[in-house]
């Protein structure tokens, strides 16, 4: 029965691309328009059809991790792209459409992130090991969207361009105090201090990130300009001339948006400027995949612009500029995926096969989501008064 129901659902859903699926009973079925080269998938667990029908996003990811869903030539990118094309078209059976709507309604509960939960969420993802992250990031360990300002840029150059673009938007002057919310491994804080003579305080909830960032600043002789704290942004008591947050608001959760922007406003000095850089959606509110919630970013969410602006307005901050990056994060993720695959021998020495398949599924799914599901990168430039920021963008492109 479950096999028949799954085939009926697939025949309705797959309207672009072609899927060839071998079910656990050994039968092969061709699904979708009869054009192009099919993606060949094999399900070996008899329970898979039932699990996929009841919770497709979770079940497909887990089956790939467990090795009970295999793809010919390991064409995971082709398979995920095919699924995303079907999801975007919306040609899903009614029960699956209802499940998606239920997740949207439940998302605020899933994103409720009090302080203790935020610490657990951060530890889940960021306490794996610095050595692992170094294997797929560039040498500065920038774990956020790079800025491919020119064709053919290396990942290292594009990450440097991202940091310099942010610095320009912050309108820095020597001696200013800057808060970096979610400072990661310290790369941005160190670059701002080195190049602009500002005093930067970076806060993180990751013990390993804190240790690495502090050691880097000490080694470079910048400890007098850069301070790193194991501290939640909600607990920061100081006031700053500038606030920057890169790739951290995705961990805040929609229920906390009001308090997040209120905190930014409260700690920003008169004539202050903030730059908030985060993954978002250009197609309206949605919900994070349950697989991503469980395995990659618990409590995380990439919001639509419409979900963020009410909180910005309540904070009293002025929207000085909004920039939308399209096409940059998929390039960043492709670089990370290529580096990940190139360093598999070292990664296999650290983690088992299930973890490796999980991380590969994460990188591929994220990349394909940016390519096909209206995900973008937002940069919000906020100020205390309308004229704290130049009234044209000419200062960014001298």
């Amino acid at each position: 029965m479950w096999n028949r129901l799954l085939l009926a659902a697939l025949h309705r859903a797959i309207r672009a691309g072609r899927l060839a699926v071998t079910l656990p009973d050994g039968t092969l079925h061709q699904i979708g328009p009869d054009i192009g080269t099919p993606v060949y998938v094999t399900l070996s667990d008899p329970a898979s059809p039932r699990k996929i029908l009841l919770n497709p996003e979770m079940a497909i990811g887990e089956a790939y991790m467990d090795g009970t869903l295999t793809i010919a030539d390991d064409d995971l990118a082709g398979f995920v792209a095919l699924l995303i094309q079907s999801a975007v078209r919306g040609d899903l059976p009614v029960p699956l459409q209802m499940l998606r709507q239920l997740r949207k309604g439940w998302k605020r509960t899933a994103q409720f992130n009090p302080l203790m939960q935020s610490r657990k969420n951060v530890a889940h993802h960021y306490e794996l090991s610095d050595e692992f992250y170094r294997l797929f990031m560039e040498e500065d360990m920038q774990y956020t969207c790079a800025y491919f300002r020119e064709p053919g840029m290396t990942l290292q150059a594009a990450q440097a361009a991202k940091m310099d673009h942010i610095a320009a938007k912050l309108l820095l002057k020597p001696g200013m105090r800057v808060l970096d919310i979610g400072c990661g491994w310290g790369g941005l804080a160190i670059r701002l201090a080195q190049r602009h003579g500002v005093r930067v305080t970076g806060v993180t909830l990751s013990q390993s990130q804190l240790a690495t960032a502090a050691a880097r600043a000490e080694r470079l002789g910048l400890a007098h300009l850069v301070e790193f704290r194991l501290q939640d942004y909600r607990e920061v008591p100081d006031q700053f001339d500038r606030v920057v947050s890169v790739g951290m608001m995705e961990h805040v959760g929609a229920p906390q948006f009001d308090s997040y922007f209120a905190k930014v406003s409260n700690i920003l000095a008169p004539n202050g400027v903030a730059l908030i850089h985060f993954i978002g959606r250009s197609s309206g509110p949605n919900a994070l995949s349950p697989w991503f919630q469980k395995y990659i970013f618990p409590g995380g969410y990439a919001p639509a612009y419409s979900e963020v602006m009410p909180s910005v307005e309540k904070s009293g901050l002025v929207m000085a500029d909004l920039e939308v990056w399209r096409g940059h994060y998929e390039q960043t993720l492709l670089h990370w995926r290529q580096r990940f695959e190139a360093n598999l021998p070292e990664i296999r020495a650290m983690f088992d096969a299930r973890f490796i398949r999980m991380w590969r599924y994460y990188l591929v799914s994220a990349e394909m989501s940016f390519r096909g599901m209206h995900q973008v990168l937002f940069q919000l430039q906020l100020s205390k008064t309308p004229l704290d920021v130049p009234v044209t963008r000419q200062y960014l492109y001298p």
Side-chain angles (χ1 to χ4, degrees):
M1 177 186 76
W2 291 107
N3 285 359
R4 292 197 304 274
L5 290 174
L6 177 61
L7 288 173
L10 289 173
H11 277 291
R12 172 165 180 169
I14 305 299
R15 302 293 179 87
R18 188 157 179 81
L19 177 69
V21 58
T22 300
L23 295 175
D25 62 7
T27 58
L28 174 65
H29 303 267
Q30 298 269 350
I31 300 166
D34 192 16
I35 54 173
T37 303
V39 177
Y40 285 87
V41 173
T42 299
L43 299 174
S44 57
D45 181 2
S48 286
R50 173 179 57 82
K51 291 178 179 178
I52 291 172
L53 280 167
L54 295 177
N55 195 349
E57 292 178 65
M58 179 71 79
I60 290 171
E62 289 185 333
Y64 182 78
M65 288 167 59
D66 294 337
T68 59
L69 182 156
T70 56
I71 308 165
D73 300 321
D74 208 12
D75 183 19
L76 180 59
F79 176 58
V80 172
L82 187 151
L83 296 180
I84 285 175
Q85 289 172 6
S86 301
V88 169
R89 289 174 63 92
D91 297 328
L92 299 176
V94 172
L96 298 187
Q97 293 182 33
M98 292 175 62
L99 178 63
R100 177 171 290 180
Q101 291 302 317
L102 283 172
R103 283 210 312 274
K104 288 183 182 180
W106 188 252
K107 70 182 181 184
R108 290 187 69 86
T109 301
Q111 296 165 29
F112 179 58
N113 289 326
L115 184 54
M116 288 304 297
Q117 186 60 48
S118 292
R119 287 175 175 151
K120 290 179 182 178
N121 293 344
V122 167
H124 176 91
H125 191 82
Y126 294 99
E127 301 292 354
L128 293 173
S129 86
D130 285 3
E131 289 70 25
F132 168 63
Y133 283 103
R134 286 191 181 98
L135 289 173
F136 68 89
M137 290 188 284
E138 71 350 311
E139 65 183 38
D140 199 53
M141 298 184 73
Q142 292 289 309
Y143 194 29
T144 54
C145 181
Y147 184 41
F148 292 88
R149 187 178 54 207
E150 300 167 4
M153 291 181 78
T154 65
L155 181 61
Q156 182 79 18
Q159 290 290 16
K162 180 263 302 289
M163 290 187 283
D164 291 342
H165 194 62
I166 289 170
K169 288 186 175 184
L170 288 171
L171 300 158
L172 300 172
K173 296 178 182 177
M176 280 184 169
R177 293 197 65 200
V178 180
L179 176 66
D180 183 358
I181 300 176
C183 62
W185 289 274
L188 176 62
I190 288 170
R191 191 175 183 90
L192 296 183
Q194 276 181 323
R195 295 193 165 220
H196 301 278
V198 292
R199 297 168 58 202
V200 187
T201 299
V203 295
T204 178
L205 293 179
S206 167
Q207 295 273 7
S208 61
Q209 286 185 338
L210 176 73
T212 297
R216 290 176 68 184
E218 186 70 33
R219 185 172 64 251
L220 293 168
L222 293 170
H224 63 294
L225 289 177
V226 184
E227 173 196 10
F228 295 104
R229 304 175 186 169
L230 191 68
Q231 188 175 46
D232 189 272
Y233 71 93
R234 288 165 282 199
E235 297 181 316
V236 174
D238 322 49
Q239 197 167 59
F240 297 86
D241 303 296
R242 300 289 186 262
V243 173
V244 62
S245 180
V246 181
M248 181 271 175
M249 207 182 84
E250 300 91 321
H251 300 287
V252 169
Q256 290 75 230
F257 285 167
D258 283 358
S259 58
Y260 174 81
F261 285 102
K263 182 64 176 180
V264 171
S265 181
N266 290 337
I267 61 179
L268 202 56
N271 306 117
V273 176
L275 191 286
I276 314 297
H277 165 123
F278 64 97
I279 299 169
R281 304 172 188 271
S282 61
S283 58
N286 208 315
L288 186 66
S289 153
W291 184 87
F292 268 78
Q293 283 276 359
K294 180 176 180 180
Y295 290 101
I296 307 299
F297 292 121
Y301 181 56
Y305 179 65
S306 59
E307 296 175 283
V308 174
M309 272 313 297
S311 297
V312 174
E313 292 168 356
K314 291 175 188 176
S315 74
L317 292 167
V318 175
M319 171 64 76
D321 199 359
L322 166 65
E323 187 173 4
V324 184
W325 290 6
R326 295 147 289 112
H328 294 271
Y329 222 142
E330 44 265 62
Q331 291 188 67
T332 306
L333 285 155
L334 177 59
H335 276 282
W336 289 345
R337 178 159 64 97
Q338 290 171 339
R339 288 164 179 254
F340 176 86
E341 299 294 349
N343 287 301
L344 276 180
E346 293 90 341
I347 296 171
R348 288 193 181 104
M350 299 178 184
F351 300 103
D352 63 16
R354 189 172 189 266
F355 177 92
I356 290 170
R357 286 193 293 268
M358 177 188 78
W359 207 264
R360 180 183 292 124
Y361 191 81
Y362 151 50
L363 292 174
V364 169
S365 298
E367 179 189 340
M368 295 302 133
S369 293
F370 275 94
R371 293 190 188 281
M373 291 194 76
H374 310 292
Q375 286 199 306
V376 294
L377 195 291
F378 290 123
Q379 281 194 344
L380 305 183
Q381 188 188 42
L382 307 171
S383 60
K384 278 298 186 82
T385 72
L387 299 181
D388 288 331
V389 172
V391 295
T392 74
R393 282 183 174 170
Q394 190 61 35
Y395 74 102
L396 293 173
Y397 312 105

